[in-house]
Amino acid sequence: MKRPLALRLSALSAATALAAAAGIALTSPEATAATGGVTGYATQNGGTTGGAGGQRVRATTGTEIHAALCGRASSSTPIIIEVEGTINHGNTGKVSSGSCNTAAGVIELKQISNVTLVGVGAGAVFDQLGIHIRQSSNIIIQNVTVRNVKKSGSPTSNGGDAIGMESDVRNVWVDHATLEASGGESEGYDGLFDMKDNTQYVTLSYSVLRNSGRGGLIGSSESDLSNGYVTFHHNRYENIDSRAPLLRGGTAHAYNNHYVSLNESGINSRAGAKVKVDNNYFEDSKDVLGTFYTDQRGSWQVAGNVFDNVTWSSPGSENYPAGPNPQSTTTVNIPYAYTPDAAGCVPDVVRRTAGAGTGLQVSDGNCTPQTPAPDPSTPTTPPPTTPGPTEPGGANLSLGAGADGSSKADGTSYGNVRDGNLSTYWSPSGSTGSVSVKWGSATSVSRVVVREASGATGVVRAWRLLNADTGAVLATGTTAGTATFPQTSLKKITFEITSASGTPRVAEFETYAS
């Protein structure tokens, strides 16, 4: 029988109290993407680096996350999106461009690559809103909390999965995440970490999955066998009914995980799946390993695990538990190097390292948490949020040119952006929109300066600069100021605001030949 919702919620409260007693901060410290720390199967197939080397963008809403993706020069331009605050349905809208394909009500990482999504500052919480990865590759998600995503009831998001991957996904690393629900399918929730339809080379590390009917799966049905090569290590599965995880076909590796209160079943290897299960700690749980709910059996290799107060059911026609004395039924060759902690210290190490807001600590293989070295690409001091524009040389080509745009608020004019007067401005009718400067004949431009009006400095949060003749993206950014690009001959240039913290006010859109 599944635990009632009240028991699930009380378990969540107990876990919170335990964390507080242990001195673990429940709010996230400043963090950076430790891209060099990727482990497991995500190191294979060329490795997983996310947005390493790309532009860093700060986002406080789901719309700003989408705008950052859409503001890239292409769908594969590397980017690191630093997220702070609560992301929910009310602040997550669809943003469109040639470099993205997003949707409202879900964080959509679709048909893109080379992206890191990392929680920073006071923490990043995705509240009732899931993260959907589809037809994408080289993705890192780190130091975030995703909670209470529903597939039924209101509101719904991502099919009820906290993090879901499907349709030709490759190389994903999810690290130091907290994924939680407040019940099972009858309460409207689905899986916390699901992989379907040809998803491969994934690592889930140092994360907490709790208070859910379903921990996660690899393969949506007995015929969806194209998934696999997934590593689970140093995770805490707590108060999960089943699927910790469920594997349909494919190969997986589970080591140094702490499983507490698996209520019905745990690692469910079926339909030809193979899983290496080593140096884990199973506690106060039932049927933690085997093939369950089907006669299509899988296999496992076991070594060094601790089974603490684990009960086992009797074998049946669709029930093949590995215990009470689990033995290996296959051999799994692991292609990467790893140094596991001894199973006896796993509860303590995982308690101190797993989940969002634990300082991205990792184990050294000797049962001692370590703080990783900073990402060398991370600036030691944050850049100013509103840098002043660099004064260019030469004449401002916008003076005397024409102007138009996508919309304008009452009392504003497109022409105000090219009149040389900082006291007049253009505003879109909402928080996003575009304004253009145009000439009667082709004009060479290599630098623009966008000046926000007094009182509106820093309102623009993400933008693109377009060659309006061809639609090509000339530059992107996150604050107004100066942008340079290879000299381009054009008749019309467009400044497109894709995200803002309020109503933008653009006083001047200056253009220069050099």
Side-chain angles (χ1 to χ4, degrees), residues 276-480:
K276 184 173 184 179
V277 182
D278 57 316
N279 291 52
N280 300 282
Y281 198 104
F282 298 92
E283 183 178 2
D284 297 338
S285 297
K286 175 185 177 183
D287 284 344
V288 297
L289 174 64
T291 296
F292 306 103
Y293 322 120
T294 182
D295 59 2
Q296 297 188 41
R297 301 183 68 166
S299 56
W300 43 85
Q301 179 182 354
V302 292
N305 300 290
V306 171
F307 300 92
D308 179 2
N309 192 32
V310 172
T311 60
W312 301 91
S313 62
S314 300
S317 60
E318 294 188 346
N319 195 56
Y320 307 94
N325 182 27
Q327 301 294 314
S328 298
T329 60
T330 191
T331 299
V332 180
N333 295 316
I334 302 300
Y336 49 84
Y338 71 105
T339 304
D341 294 301
C345 72
V346 162
D348 179 63
V349 167
V350 169
R351 175 183 59 82
R352 292 195 282 165
T353 58
T358 55
L360 299 183
Q361 290 194 96
V362 297
S363 173
D364 63 355
N366 294 304
C367 301
T368 306
Q370 304 286 318
T371 299
D375 179 352
S377 67
T378 303
T380 55
T381 57
T385 56
T386 56
T390 301
E391 295 300 330
N396 175 9
L397 303 174
S398 298
L399 296 175
D404 60 25
S406 62
S407 68
K408 56 184 176 180
D410 290 345
T412 72
S413 169
Y414 301 124
N416 289 341
V417 304
R418 45 88 173 141
D419 62 1
N421 185 350
L422 290 174
S423 66
T424 64
Y425 58 86
W426 160 83
S427 290
S429 57
S431 62
T432 61
S434 62
V435 63
S436 302
V437 171
K438 56 186 180 179
W439 300 271
S441 59
T443 300
S444 292
V445 179
S446 66
R447 183 190 297 262
V448 304
V449 177
V450 175
R451 303 181 189 271
E452 293 175 280
S454 176
T457 303
V459 170
V460 174
R461 299 297 295 270
W463 54 264
R464 302 192 308 163
L465 194 65
L466 306 174
N467 179 341
D469 298 349
T470 65
V473 177
L474 301 173
T476 63
T478 56
T479 55

Side-chain angles (χ1 to χ4, degrees), residues 21 59 96-97 108 156 198-199 214 285 287 292 313 346 354 394 422 487-488:
S96 299
S97 83
E108 191 84 306
T156 61
N198 198 23
T199 294
R214 297 169 173 175
S285 297
D287 284 344
F292 306 103
S313 62
V346 162
L422 290 174
Q487 192 167 74
T488 303

Side-chain angles (χ1 to χ4, degrees), residues 38-48 171 201 203 229 334-337:
V38 62
T39 51
Y41 275 114
T43 64
Q44 305 298 292
N45 190 44
T48 305
N171 291 87
Y201 302 106
T203 295
Y229 306 115
I334 302 300
Y336 49 84

Side-chain angles (χ1 to χ4, degrees), residues 32-33 54-58 79-82 118 375 377-379 478:
T32 58
Q55 181 185 29
R56 290 180 177 271
V57 177
R58 185 67 65 100
I79 190 170
I80 298 171
I81 304 174
E82 299 178 335
V118 56
D375 179 352
S377 67
T378 303
T478 56

Side-chain angles (χ1 to χ4, degrees), residues 61-63 86-93 105 127 129 155:
T61 70
T63 303
T86 299
I87 311 301
N88 54 37
H89 285 76
N91 64 31
T92 301
D127 184 30
L129 183 142

